[in-house]
């Protein structure tokens, strides 16, 4: 707590594992906050001062508006700030779309509609249209798989295992732990 780095304290006290040393050092929120503030102060001395100016009201509103525009009917678009949609809002085909699991039924409706439209395009001889619809169908199936995987992960239990207590059961009778 007096400023000695933990890896040095580990060597001084003779611990084989840094985690043993860290058990003796409690990290308090104030210490973390002060450490973060010091890091930011050091970083700011290395960056141009113009990067830390206050944004104008218009800039701030435009920035906040970006997050509102990222919300789409099927979920959230992951495109970067201040970029437009390069897919002309064909979200189903976009790798940046993160589907909301509650929209799974809507994707099923879209997929079923695509199948009907592909049949119609083939029947009418619109081969280019059918090919484009097949691309959308593949994207719909991929988004369904993505949502199903997300749902499965949310519903699956995570096995953390049992903690092991090393060498306590194997000590000879009459011996104490070191």
């Amino acid at each position: 707590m007096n400023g000695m780095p933990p890896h040095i304290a580990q060597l001084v006290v003779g611990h084989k594992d840094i985690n043993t040393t860290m058990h003796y050092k409690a990290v308090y929120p104030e210490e973390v906050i002060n450490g973060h503030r010091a890091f930011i102060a050091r970083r700011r001395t290395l960056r141009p001062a113009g990067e830390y100016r206050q944004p104008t009201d218009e800039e701030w509103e435009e920035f906040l508006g970006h997050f509102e525009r990222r919300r789409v009917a099927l979920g959230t678009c992951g495109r970067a700030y201040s970029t437009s949609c390069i897919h002309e809002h064909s979200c189903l085909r976009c790798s940046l779309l993160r589907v909301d699991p509650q929209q799974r039924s809507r994707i099923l409706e879209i997929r079923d509609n695509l199948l009907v439209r592909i049949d119609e395009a083939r029947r009418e001889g619109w081969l280019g249209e059918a090919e484009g619809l097949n691309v959308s169908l593949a994207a719909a199936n991929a988004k369904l798989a993505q949502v199903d995987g997300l749902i499965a992960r949310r519903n699956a239990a995570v096995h953390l295992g049992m903690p092991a207590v090393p060498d306590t059961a194997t000590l000879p009778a009459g011996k104490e732990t070191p």
Side-chain angles (χ1 to χ4, degrees):
M1 294 301 291
N2 292 320
M4 181 181 286
H7 68 282
I8 303 294
Q10 172 192 359
L11 294 173
V12 170
V13 297
H15 292 151
K16 291 180 182 177
D17 186 351
I18 189 71
N19 291 319
T20 304
T21 309
M22 294 306 290
H23 286 293
Y24 290 97
K25 182 190 183 316
V27 177
Y28 296 99
E30 183 180 344
E31 183 180 350
V32 173
I33 292 168
N34 290 339
H36 180 69
R37 286 181 179 158
F39 166 76
I40 294 296
R42 286 190 307 273
R43 184 178 181 277
R44 283 187 175 172
T45 62
L46 302 174
R47 306 290 304 167
E51 290 184 8
Y52 298 103
R53 70 173 175 76
Q54 286 289 340
T56 64
D57 289 340
E58 294 81 23
E59 290 172 327
W60 186 247
E61 288 301 317
E62 193 272 330
F63 174 73
L64 293 177
H66 165 77
F67 297 100
E68 289 298 319
R69 289 187 297 277
R70 285 180 48 183
R71 293 188 189 132
V72 292
L74 294 174
T76 302
C77 178
R79 69 181 182 275
Y81 170 68
S82 193
T83 59
S84 59
C85 179
I86 61 173
H87 298 101
E88 298 178 7
H89 300 286
S90 297
C91 297
L92 198 62
R93 292 184 179 189
C94 184
S95 63
L96 297 176
L97 173 65
R98 294 295 169 247
V99 179
D100 180 353
Q102 294 178 350
Q103 295 300 318
R104 187 181 188 284
S105 61
R106 177 69 180 126
I107 296 173
L108 286 172
E109 289 176 22
I110 292 170
R111 186 196 60 189
D112 293 345
N113 181 268
L114 284 166
L115 291 169
V116 170
R117 290 172 52 202
I118 289 169
D119 286 342
E120 177 188 14
R122 286 186 182 142
R123 196 173 48 251
E124 297 294 329
W126 304 331
L127 300 181
E129 182 73 13
E131 187 175 331
L133 291 169
N134 276 317
V135 171
S136 294
L137 179 62
N141 287 328
K143 293 299 181 190
L144 277 171
Q146 182 185 62
V147 168
D148 290 343
L150 179 63
I151 292 169
R153 283 190 303 277
R154 283 186 179 173
N155 294 335
V158 176
H159 179 65
L160 300 176
M162 286 296 295
V165 182
D167 301 330
T168 55
T170 59
L171 289 174
K175 297 281 186 170
E176 295 184 20
T177 58

